[in-house]
Amino acid sequence: MPYSAAIPEDIRFGYGVRFCLREFLLPGRTLFICGKHSELRIREEWNNSGIDFDIVTVSGELPLNELEDILSLVRKENYRNFIGWGGGSAVDCAKAVAALTGAPGCGADYFYRRRQLPGRDNRMILIPTTAGTGAEITSNSVICDRKTGIKQSLRGAGMTADAALCDPELLKNTPPQVMAASGFDALTQALESFISIKADSLTSQLASTAAALILNNLEKACAGNDLAALENMARASMLTGIAFAQSGLGAVHGLAHPAGSICRIPHGICCAILLLPVLRLNSEAIPERFETLARSCGFADKDKLFEFIADLQAKLSIPCNFREYGLKREDFDFIIANCRSGSMKCNPRAFSDAELAGFLEGLL
């Protein structure tokens, strides 16, 4: 089977690789797009670097209106380099801004597929500070329109980074709740990549390696600055990005986008709540594939794997339902209508609308 995946041309991993940034910059001005907690570090590390840069910050779960505001600012300037420094929202914003800065129309035109993305002639470098989304590797940007509740990916030419600099040092002092949520996002990506109908020998190896790393290191990474655990989590997140860039994901991500959007649930938490119920349903369709997955992660069988995931979820204080987030039965129609994404199409079994409604009922 041929392999084909749009990933950054240059992927670097290791302590201090963020300082390779200068190698990739074009002459001209640079814009850092980051989360609010990263701005001080960027200024401390780069103010005296000789790089002519500005900084904008973004919220979590990238809102379309924030993307539009940043685009309005950027189009008045002449930035040649765009640096996404942060979690998934900052990295996704940098990808979208770099791709759209020279394009006609507004961001919503591309978000709602009214226009096709053109190519770009700038430089985009992505530096993740969380171990979860793998967004530094992928060629899409996840955006949420708060007005409509629609959360989906912006895809097209120019969305792949020129370089991804994955530096485990940036994970130090991550709040435990952020590490847990992002870790479960990465775990979901690894497991869904492995069982995807588009999985192949390469993506399966990457995904199972990533899943084993996460299962063995997430609890330690949440407990404190265990450097080995942080490095393993950063490596696992990167590997999941490479894997699902080719294999796609599954029903967890298909459901998580609309459910998370309508109930304002952090993406990693939403994935964690959905993960085990969806895995159990999928395992009924492809039991042998799940047994292979369990063994590759070091477990005797799939039931032991599921037990471990449930215990890990409990230890990290991640809820097992949507009760505290206010999911209502009247939300089901919106979730079901908006879950039939590319991720859902990669799931190893199909779900009818009635099955999905019953599934969501069990999570109230």
Side-chain angles (χ1 to χ4, degrees):
M1 179 180 294
Y3 300 130
S4 176
I7 61 175
E9 182 177 346
D10 201 325
I11 301 174
R12 301 194 187 184
F13 181 91
Y15 285 93
V17 296
R18 67 190 184 279
F19 294 112
C20 298
L21 172 63
R22 298 174 65 96
E23 297 178 25
F24 300 98
L25 299 181
L26 295 171
R29 300 179 66 194
T30 295
L31 181 67
F32 282 88
I33 299 174
C34 67
K36 293 177 174 62
H37 299 294
S38 295
E39 182 175 3
L40 179 59
R41 180 168 203 153
I42 292 170
R43 294 196 184 280
E44 288 176 344
E45 294 188 350
W46 299 98
N47 265 349
N48 297 315
S49 65
I51 298 172
D52 178 16
F53 72 87
D54 295 314
I55 298 177
V56 294
T57 62
V58 296
S59 304
E61 308 286 327
L62 177 61
L64 179 60
N65 66 295
E66 284 194 26
L67 172 62
E68 300 281 25
D69 290 343
I70 294 172
L71 273 175
S72 296
L73 168 69
V74 165
R75 285 169 171 171
K76 297 173 184 175
E77 305 295 337
N78 186 30
Y79 294 109
R80 300 293 294 130
N81 305 289
F82 295 91
I83 315 302
W85 180 304
S89 182
V91 169
D92 279 341
C93 187
K95 289 193 280 189
V97 170
L100 291 172
T101 183
C106 63
D109 289 337
Y110 299 90
F111 180 75
Y112 285 110
R113 319 287 199 261
R114 296 192 290 262
R115 291 177 181 265
Q116 287 191 335
L117 280 168
R120 60 180 175 84
D121 64 354
N122 50 51
R123 194 61 55 86
M124 186 219 302
I125 302 97
L126 304 177
I127 304 173
T129 63
T130 61
T133 67
E136 71 278 5
I137 302 297
T138 60
S139 56
N140 66 291
S141 175
V142 180
I143 302 166
C144 181
D145 185 348
R146 297 295 188 202
K147 293 181 180 179
T148 63
I150 301 296
K151 183 177 182 180
Q152 60 188 13
S153 288
L154 181 68
R155 301 177 186 273
M159 296 292 287
T160 305
D162 297 291
L165 309 179
C166 305
D167 191 334
E169 187 174 358
L170 295 175
L171 299 185
K172 289 181 180 178
N173 302 314
T174 300
Q177 64 272 25
V178 174
M179 182 65 73
S182 57
F184 259 89
D185 186 12
L187 178 61
T188 303
Q189 289 166 177
L191 298 177
E192 290 205 299
S193 176
F194 190 91
I195 63 171
S196 166
I197 62 172
K198 293 171 60 179
D200 54 42
S201 59
L202 174 63
T203 62
S204 296
Q205 181 63 52
L206 293 170
S208 61
T209 299
L213 285 170
I214 296 164
L215 292 168
N216 288 325
N217 289 279
L218 180 54
E219 186 179 0
K220 289 181 284 187
C222 290
N225 286 329
D226 182 317
L227 297 184
L230 294 180
E231 182 173 345
N232 283 327
M233 287 301 300
R235 180 177 289 106
S237 178
M238 178 186 67
L239 292 177
T240 66
I242 299 171
F244 81 80
Q246 174 160 318
S247 69
L249 293 165
V252 174
H253 277 81
L255 289 162
H257 281 177
S261 175
I262 200 167
C263 295
R264 300 293 180 94
I265 309 170
H267 178 67
I269 298 298
C270 196
C271 286
I273 293 170
L274 292 163
L275 180 58
L276 274 175
V278 172
L279 287 181
R280 289 193 172 103
L281 289 173
N282 280 331
S283 71
E284 296 171 4
I286 49 169
E288 292 183 1
R289 183 66 172 163
F290 271 85
E291 296 297 343
T292 300
L293 171 61
R295 291 192 296 272
S296 70
C297 292
F299 296 91
D301 53 44
K302 62 180 176 61
D303 292 330
K304 294 296 183 184
L305 171 61
F306 294 163
E307 288 173 16
F308 188 91
I309 293 172
D311 288 344
L312 182 61
Q313 190 171 344
K315 288 177 180 177
L316 299 181
S317 301
I318 294 175
C320 58
N321 56 51
F322 291 123
R323 203 162 298 146
E324 69 182 80
Y325 294 101
L327 179 70
K328 304 178 182 65
R329 289 182 182 87
E330 49 263 40
D331 298 327
F332 290 4
D333 286 347
F334 175 86
I335 294 170
I336 293 169
N338 290 283
C339 75
R340 305 294 184 183
S341 61
S343 291
M344 187 67 86
K345 292 172 184 176
C346 292
N347 200 65
R349 58 161 290 183
F351 293 103
S352 69
D353 287 358
E355 286 176 314
L356 290 174
F359 171 81
L360 292 170
E361 182 77 28
L363 294 173
L364 291 177

mmCIF file of all heavy atoms in Angstrom, residues 9 15 23 26 29 34 40 42 45 89 120 156 165 175 183 213 228 232-233 238 253 259 274 300 327 330-331 342 353:
data_model
loop_
_atom_site.group_PDB
_atom_site.id
_atom_site.type_symbol
_atom_site.label_atom_id
_atom_site.label_comp_id
_atom_site.label_asym_id
_atom_site.label_seq_id
_atom_site.Cartn_x
_atom_site.Cartn_y
_atom_site.Cartn_z
ATOM 1 N N GLU A 9 8.005 19.562 6.234
ATOM 2 C CA GLU A 9 9.225 19.078 5.598
ATOM 3 C C GLU A 9 10.326 18.835 6.610
ATOM 4 O O GLU A 9 11.135 17.921 6.469
ATOM 5 C CB GLU A 9 9.688 20.099 4.558
ATOM 6 C CG GLU A 9 10.930 19.689 3.801
ATOM 7 C CD GLU A 9 11.325 20.692 2.739
ATOM 8 O OE1 GLU A 9 10.498 21.556 2.404
ATOM 9 O OE2 GLU A 9 12.462 20.609 2.254
ATOM 10 N N TYR A 15 15.177 18.552 23.468
ATOM 11 C CA TYR A 15 15.316 19.714 24.348
ATOM 12 C C TYR A 15 16.094 20.823 23.648
ATOM 13 O O TYR A 15 17.183 20.601 23.126
ATOM 14 C CB TYR A 15 15.997 19.317 25.653
ATOM 15 C CG TYR A 15 15.080 18.547 26.575
ATOM 16 C CD1 TYR A 15 15.043 17.159 26.563
ATOM 17 C CD2 TYR A 15 14.216 19.230 27.429
ATOM 18 C CE1 TYR A 15 14.175 16.454 27.393
ATOM 19 C CE2 TYR A 15 13.346 18.537 28.263
ATOM 20 C CZ TYR A 15 13.334 17.157 28.246
ATOM 21 O OH TYR A 15 12.471 16.472 29.051
ATOM 22 N N GLU A 23 16.834 29.502 11.932
ATOM 23 C CA GLU A 23 17.251 28.866 10.683
ATOM 24 C C GLU A 23 16.167 28.924 9.603
ATOM 25 O O GLU A 23 16.469 28.868 8.413
ATOM 26 C CB GLU A 23 17.592 27.388 10.917
ATOM 27 C CG GLU A 23 18.753 27.138 11.848
ATOM 28 C CD GLU A 23 18.976 25.653 12.056
ATOM 29 O OE1 GLU A 23 18.575 24.864 11.150
ATOM 30 O OE2 GLU A 23 19.509 25.263 13.108
ATOM 31 N N LEU A 26 12.398 33.799 7.082
ATOM 32 C CA LEU A 26 12.674 34.618 5.918
ATOM 33 C C LEU A 26 13.043 36.027 6.380
ATOM 34 O O LEU A 26 12.653 36.452 7.474
ATOM 35 C CB LEU A 26 11.430 34.705 5.025
ATOM 36 C CG LEU A 26 10.947 33.418 4.360
ATOM 37 C CD1 LEU A 26 9.590 33.653 3.712
ATOM 38 C CD2 LEU A 26 11.956 32.924 3.350
ATOM 39 N N ARG A 29 9.550 40.801 8.773
ATOM 40 C CA ARG A 29 8.911 40.796 10.079
ATOM 41 C C ARG A 29 8.300 39.445 10.422
ATOM 42 O O ARG A 29 7.895 38.679 9.545
ATOM 43 C CB ARG A 29 7.840 41.885 10.137
ATOM 44 C CG ARG A 29 8.383 43.289 9.908
ATOM 45 C CD ARG A 29 7.280 44.311 9.946
ATOM 46 N NE ARG A 29 6.691 44.392 11.284
ATOM 47 C CZ ARG A 29 5.540 45.014 11.538
ATOM 48 N NH1 ARG A 29 4.849 45.562 10.556
ATOM 49 N NH2 ARG A 29 5.081 45.062 12.768
ATOM 50 N N CYS A 34 0.303 33.057 19.942
ATOM 51 C CA CYS A 34 0.513 32.184 21.098
ATOM 52 C C CYS A 34 -0.682 32.223 22.040
ATOM 53 O O CYS A 34 -1.571 33.070 21.931
ATOM 54 C CB CYS A 34 1.780 32.602 21.844
ATOM 55 S SG CYS A 34 1.670 34.223 22.642
ATOM 56 N N LEU A 40 4.933 35.912 27.907
ATOM 57 C CA LEU A 40 6.085 36.349 28.700
ATOM 58 C C LEU A 40 7.330 35.557 28.335
ATOM 59 O O LEU A 40 8.412 36.138 28.168
ATOM 60 C CB LEU A 40 5.781 36.192 30.189
ATOM 61 C CG LEU A 40 6.923 36.585 31.144
ATOM 62 C CD1 LEU A 40 7.316 38.048 30.944
ATOM 63 C CD2 LEU A 40 6.515 36.320 32.594
ATOM 64 N N ILE A 42 8.069 34.060 25.517
ATOM 65 C CA ILE A 42 8.542 34.448 24.187
ATOM 66 C C ILE A 42 9.337 35.743 24.268
ATOM 67 O O ILE A 42 10.419 35.869 23.670
ATOM 68 C CB ILE A 42 7.349 34.587 23.219
ATOM 69 C CG1 ILE A 42 6.733 33.205 22.948
ATOM 70 C CG2 ILE A 42 7.783 35.231 21.901
ATOM 71 C CD1 ILE A 42 5.412 33.260 22.209
ATOM 72 N N GLU A 45 12.775 35.146 25.877
ATOM 73 C CA GLU A 45 13.727 34.369 25.075
ATOM 74 C C GLU A 45 14.112 35.037 23.764
ATOM 75 O O GLU A 45 15.181 34.750 23.220
ATOM 76 C CB GLU A 45 13.164 32.970 24.795
ATOM 77 C CG GLU A 45 13.029 32.119 26.053
ATOM 78 C CD GLU A 45 12.668 30.673 25.774
ATOM 79 O OE1 GLU A 45 12.332 30.342 24.614
ATOM 80 O OE2 GLU A 45 12.735 29.851 26.704
ATOM 81 N N SER A 89 -4.943 25.577 19.926
ATOM 82 C CA SER A 89 -5.603 26.787 19.436
ATOM 83 C C SER A 89 -4.609 27.747 18.804
ATOM 84 O O SER A 89 -4.843 28.274 17.705
ATOM 85 C CB SER A 89 -6.335 27.475 20.591
ATOM 86 O OG SER A 89 -7.018 28.624 20.143
ATOM 87 N N ARG A 120 0.549 29.818 -0.339
ATOM 88 C CA ARG A 120 1.107 30.940 0.415
ATOM 89 C C ARG A 120 2.583 31.108 0.071
ATOM 90 O O ARG A 120 3.253 30.157 -0.363
ATOM 91 C CB ARG A 120 0.929 30.733 1.917
ATOM 92 C CG ARG A 120 1.601 29.479 2.473
ATOM 93 C CD ARG A 120 1.383 29.342 3.981
ATOM 94 N NE ARG A 120 1.933 28.076 4.459
ATOM 95 C CZ ARG A 120 3.203 27.890 4.775
ATOM 96 N NH1 ARG A 120 4.079 28.887 4.690
ATOM 97 N NH2 ARG A 120 3.629 26.704 5.171
ATOM 98 N N GLY A 156 -6.701 22.922 3.216
ATOM 99 C CA GLY A 156 -6.372 23.381 1.876
ATOM 100 C C GLY A 156 -4.894 23.660 1.710
ATOM 101 O O GLY A 156 -4.074 23.368 2.589
ATOM 102 N N LEU A 165 8.904 22.308 15.448
ATOM 103 C CA LEU A 165 9.968 22.217 16.446
ATOM 104 C C LEU A 165 9.340 21.752 17.753
ATOM 105 O O LEU A 165 8.684 22.527 18.456
ATOM 106 C CB LEU A 165 10.658 23.572 16.623
ATOM 107 C CG LEU A 165 11.140 24.243 15.330
ATOM 108 C CD1 LEU A 165 11.788 25.592 15.644
ATOM 109 C CD2 LEU A 165 12.103 23.341 14.563
ATOM 110 N N PRO A 175 -0.011 22.865 33.980
ATOM 111 C CA PRO A 175 -0.982 22.495 35.023
ATOM 112 C C PRO A 175 -1.481 21.067 34.818
ATOM 113 O O PRO A 175 -1.702 20.641 33.681
ATOM 114 C CB PRO A 175 -2.110 23.517 34.810
ATOM 115 C CG PRO A 175 -1.451 24.690 34.158
ATOM 116 C CD PRO A 175 -0.385 24.096 33.268
ATOM 117 N N GLY A 183 -3.373 15.063 27.192
ATOM 118 C CA GLY A 183 -2.918 13.679 27.098
ATOM 119 C C GLY A 183 -4.006 12.739 26.620
ATOM 120 O O GLY A 183 -3.757 11.830 25.820
ATOM 121 N N LEU A 213 3.217 4.828 24.939
ATOM 122 C CA LEU A 213 3.941 5.909 25.633
ATOM 123 C C LEU A 213 2.999 6.723 26.516
ATOM 124 O O LEU A 213 3.327 7.064 27.658
ATOM 125 C CB LEU A 213 4.612 6.820 24.612
ATOM 126 C CG LEU A 213 5.872 6.301 23.928
ATOM 127 C CD1 LEU A 213 6.273 7.223 22.776
ATOM 128 C CD2 LEU A 213 7.018 6.186 24.929
ATOM 129 N N ALA A 228 11.566 12.587 32.037
ATOM 130 C CA ALA A 228 11.426 11.452 31.124
ATOM 131 C C ALA A 228 9.976 11.317 30.678
ATOM 132 O O ALA A 228 9.687 11.062 29.497
ATOM 133 C CB ALA A 228 11.901 10.166 31.791
ATOM 134 N N ASN A 232 8.478 11.715 26.882
ATOM 135 C CA ASN A 232 7.699 10.650 26.256
ATOM 136 C C ASN A 232 6.322 11.142 25.814
ATOM 137 O O ASN A 232 5.808 10.730 24.770
ATOM 138 C CB ASN A 232 7.562 9.465 27.218
ATOM 139 C CG ASN A 232 8.821 8.629 27.283
ATOM 140 O OD1 ASN A 232 9.539 8.488 26.289
ATOM 141 N ND2 ASN A 232 9.119 8.072 28.451
ATOM 142 N N MET A 233 5.713 12.040 26.593
ATOM 143 C CA MET A 233 4.419 12.594 26.193
ATOM 144 C C MET A 233 4.568 13.472 24.954
ATOM 145 O O MET A 233 3.731 13.421 24.045
ATOM 146 C CB MET A 233 3.818 13.393 27.349
ATOM 147 C CG MET A 233 3.296 12.536 28.497
ATOM 148 S SD MET A 233 1.996 11.363 28.004
ATOM 149 C CE MET A 233 0.746 12.491 27.392
ATOM 150 N N MET A 238 3.590 13.985 19.049
ATOM 151 C CA MET A 238 4.129 14.172 17.705
ATOM 152 C C MET A 238 3.824 12.954 16.818
ATOM 153 O O MET A 238 3.401 13.100 15.664
ATOM 154 C CB MET A 238 5.635 14.410 17.770
ATOM 155 C CG MET A 238 6.321 14.576 16.415
ATOM 156 S SD MET A 238 8.114 14.664 16.571
ATOM 157 C CE MET A 238 8.498 12.993 17.123
ATOM 158 N N HIS A 253 -13.798 11.734 17.685
ATOM 159 C CA HIS A 253 -13.565 13.092 17.198
ATOM 160 C C HIS A 253 -14.755 13.616 16.399
ATOM 161 O O HIS A 253 -15.047 14.820 16.438
ATOM 162 C CB HIS A 253 -12.272 13.158 16.382
ATOM 163 C CG HIS A 253 -11.057 13.318 17.232
ATOM 164 N ND1 HIS A 253 -10.457 12.265 17.878
ATOM 165 C CD2 HIS A 253 -10.348 14.426 17.578
ATOM 166 C CE1 HIS A 253 -9.425 12.702 18.570
ATOM 167 N NE2 HIS A 253 -9.343 14.012 18.416
ATOM 168 N N ALA A 259 -20.330 18.240 20.082
ATOM 169 C CA ALA A 259 -20.681 18.161 21.504
ATOM 170 C C ALA A 259 -19.877 19.178 22.311
ATOM 171 O O ALA A 259 -20.417 19.881 23.174
ATOM 172 C CB ALA A 259 -20.443 16.750 22.034
ATOM 173 N N LEU A 274 -15.969 10.571 25.810
ATOM 174 C CA LEU A 274 -16.499 9.744 24.728
ATOM 175 C C LEU A 274 -15.674 8.484 24.467
ATOM 176 O O LEU A 274 -16.182 7.504 23.899
ATOM 177 C CB LEU A 274 -16.549 10.565 23.436
ATOM 178 C CG LEU A 274 -17.555 11.714 23.373
ATOM 179 C CD1 LEU A 274 -17.191 12.673 22.239
ATOM 180 C CD2 LEU A 274 -18.958 11.169 23.172
ATOM 181 N N ALA A 300 -2.887 -7.847 28.260
ATOM 182 C CA ALA A 300 -3.211 -9.229 27.891
ATOM 183 C C ALA A 300 -4.341 -9.289 26.872
ATOM 184 O O ALA A 300 -4.338 -10.143 25.980
ATOM 185 C CB ALA A 300 -3.589 -10.022 29.142
ATOM 186 N N LEU A 327 -25.170 18.920 29.076
ATOM 187 C CA LEU A 327 -25.715 18.360 27.832
ATOM 188 C C LEU A 327 -27.193 18.025 28.027
ATOM 189 O O LEU A 327 -27.582 17.433 29.033
ATOM 190 C CB LEU A 327 -24.944 17.096 27.436
ATOM 191 C CG LEU A 327 -25.430 16.397 26.160
ATOM 192 C CD1 LEU A 327 -25.109 17.240 24.936
ATOM 193 C CD2 LEU A 327 -24.780 15.009 26.029
ATOM 194 N N GLU A 330 -32.248 17.992 23.990
ATOM 195 C CA GLU A 330 -32.520 18.866 22.849
ATOM 196 C C GLU A 330 -31.248 19.236 22.081
ATOM 197 O O GLU A 330 -31.332 19.804 20.983
ATOM 198 C CB GLU A 330 -33.260 20.129 23.290
ATOM 199 C CG GLU A 330 -32.669 20.852 24.466
ATOM 200 C CD GLU A 330 -33.340 20.484 25.791
ATOM 201 O OE1 GLU A 330 -33.652 19.282 25.992
ATOM 202 O OE2 GLU A 330 -33.553 21.394 26.602
ATOM 203 N N ASP A 331 -30.071 18.917 22.647
ATOM 204 C CA ASP A 331 -28.807 19.140 21.934
ATOM 205 C C ASP A 331 -28.486 18.003 20.962
ATOM 206 O O ASP A 331 -27.607 18.145 20.107
ATOM 207 C CB ASP A 331 -27.642 19.263 22.924
ATOM 208 C CG ASP A 331 -27.783 20.445 23.873
ATOM 209 O OD1 ASP A 331 -28.339 21.475 23.437
ATOM 210 O OD2 ASP A 331 -27.346 20.340 25.032
ATOM 211 N N GLY A 342 -15.216 13.914 8.263
ATOM 212 C CA GLY A 342 -14.230 12.968 7.762
ATOM 213 C C GLY A 342 -13.786 11.993 8.834
ATOM 214 O O GLY A 342 -13.508 10.816 8.555
ATOM 215 N N ASP A 353 -28.490 7.409 13.150
ATOM 216 C CA ASP A 353 -28.857 8.533 14.011
ATOM 217 C C ASP A 353 -29.481 8.033 15.307
ATOM 218 O O ASP A 353 -29.221 8.576 16.387
ATOM 219 C CB ASP A 353 -29.847 9.453 13.285
ATOM 220 C CG ASP A 353 -29.192 10.263 12.180
ATOM 221 O OD1 ASP A 353 -27.959 10.148 12.004
ATOM 222 O OD2 ASP A 353 -29.917 11.008 11.495
#
